């Protein structure tokens, strides 16, 4: 289990980016973190990844305190960040150098097949479209089979059609090994499509405003009334998060709870 206890981050310039974030995230759960600019979403993700040190509080995974990058935690950024001097297959297998070559090649081939890029194994990153490059990044992050995968707005630079396609691919890949996914996004539709819980943040300093469980079976029908109701609930929470007269920690929403099956 991933546990965040009163996690706070103040930068040397005095900016209080994150304040008192507390949550327990179950193995295999998908959590979306959503909020306006400056609410500490990326700071939170970097702290979980061990890339930034929390000023106060603690982050633990299965009882181990996270203070540096961890082998059980992977991360996908908004840009694919592929290594231009390696072909697609070598990019995907970059973190598997400790495996025997036949095992590494087998795992890489399987990962590329799952994201529909088996025929691109020997091409260079510059030859890929934006959507293809991000598929490679997803395959690269998942092929070591991390326990936790962090995603920092991985689809925001893509067109709507490609973004939706990659959301479906991500869920297919997640179903194979069920890692814990923590997704930072600005897209309410994306949060409701993917997440089991949605954390709505409020800014200055960034902190948890509301937690909304998503009681919808997968695959999710984007045209259903319940899906639209959940989207409205998240949008309402986002609006309220910017209202300084509304206190923090509004508790859990029960939207959809009575219709779970």
């Amino acid at each position: 289990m991933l546990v965040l206890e009163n996690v706070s981050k103040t930068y040397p310039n005095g900016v209080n980016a994150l304040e008192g974030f507390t949550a327990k995230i179950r193995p295999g759960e998908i959590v979306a973190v959503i909020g306006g600019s400056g609410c500490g979403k990326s700071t939170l993700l970097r702290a979980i990844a061990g890339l930034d040190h929390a000023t106060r509080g603690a982050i633990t995974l299965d009882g181990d305190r996270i203070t540096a990058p961890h082998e059980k935690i992977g991360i996908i950024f908004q840009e694919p960040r592929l290594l231009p001097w390696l072909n697609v297959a070598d990019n995907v297998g970059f973190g598997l150098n400790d495996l025997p070559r036949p095992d590494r090649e087998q795992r890489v081939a399987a990962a590329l097949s799952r994201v529909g890029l088996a025929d691109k194994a020997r091409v260079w990153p510059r030859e890929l479209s934006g959507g293809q490059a991000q598929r490679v990044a997803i395959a690269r992050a998942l092929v070591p089979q991390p326990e936790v995968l962090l995603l920092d707005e991985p689809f925001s630079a893509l067109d709507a059609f490609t973004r939706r396609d990659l959301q479906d691919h991500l869920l297919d890949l997640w179903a194979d090994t069920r890692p814990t996914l923590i997704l930072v996004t600005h897209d309410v539709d994306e949060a409701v499509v993917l997440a089991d819980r949605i954390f709505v943040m409020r800014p200055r300093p960034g902190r948890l405003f509301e937690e909304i469980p998503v009681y919808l079976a997968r695959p999710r029908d984007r045209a259903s009334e319940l899906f639209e109701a959940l989207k409205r609930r998240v949008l309402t929470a986002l609006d309220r998060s910017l209202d300084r007269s509304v206190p923090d920690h509004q508790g859990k929403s029960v939207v959809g709870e009575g219709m779970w099956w």
Side-chain angles (χ1 to χ4, degrees), residues 27 46 71 118 120 143 153 164 178 186 211 222 235 248:
R46 290 181 61 84
E71 62 180 5
K120 302 293 184 181
V143 76
E153 300 191 64
R164 182 166 176 169
R178 297 288 179 120
H186 280 99
E211 174 190 324
R222 301 170 191 250
L235 287 167
D248 293 348

Side-chain angles (χ1 to χ4, degrees), residues 57-175:
I59 301 169
T60 58
L61 177 61
D62 300 333
D64 294 334
R65 187 160 182 166
I66 304 300
T67 58
H70 196 285
E71 62 180 5
K72 292 184 178 180
I73 301 176
I75 188 166
I76 299 174
F77 297 97
Q78 181 176 343
E79 307 85 16
R81 300 193 181 184
L82 303 181
L83 302 175
W85 59 88
L86 297 180
N87 64 29
V88 165
D90 288 340
N91 263 281
V92 173
F94 185 75
L96 302 177
N97 290 330
D98 57 331
L99 292 180
R101 183 171 179 175
D103 294 345
R104 182 172 67 248
E105 290 178 349
Q106 182 179 14
R107 193 179 289 189
V108 168
L112 287 175
S113 179
R114 292 290 281 124
V115 296
L117 293 175
D119 61 333
K120 302 293 184 181
R122 299 303 166 194
V123 306
W124 301 102
R126 64 178 178 272
E127 300 176 69
L128 301 173
S129 68
Q132 289 172 334
Q134 198 63 294
R135 288 191 198 187
V136 174
I138 292 170
R140 180 179 60 185
L142 285 171
V143 76
Q145 299 180 349
E147 187 173 323
V148 176
L149 182 61
L150 311 173
L151 303 100
D152 193 359
E153 300 191 64
F155 311 135
S156 62
L158 304 173
D159 63 86
F161 180 82
T162 303
R163 184 164 61 244
R164 182 166 176 169
D165 182 52
L166 286 182
Q167 290 165 2
D168 293 338
H169 270 291
L170 178 64
L171 286 175
D172 287 343
L173 291 167
W174 167 81

Side-chain angles (χ1 to χ4, degrees), residues 28-43:
E29 188 175 16
I30 303 177
V31 170
V33 182
I34 194 167
S37 297
C39 69
K41 302 185 299 296
S42 293
T43 298

Side-chain angles (χ1 to χ4, degrees), residues 202-220:
R202 81 184 315 174
R204 296 182 297 276
R207 57 205 188 276
L208 179 62
F209 174 71
E210 189 165 350
E211 174 190 324
I212 302 174
V214 182
Y215 293 105
L216 291 174
R218 295 185 176 96
R220 293 177 177 167

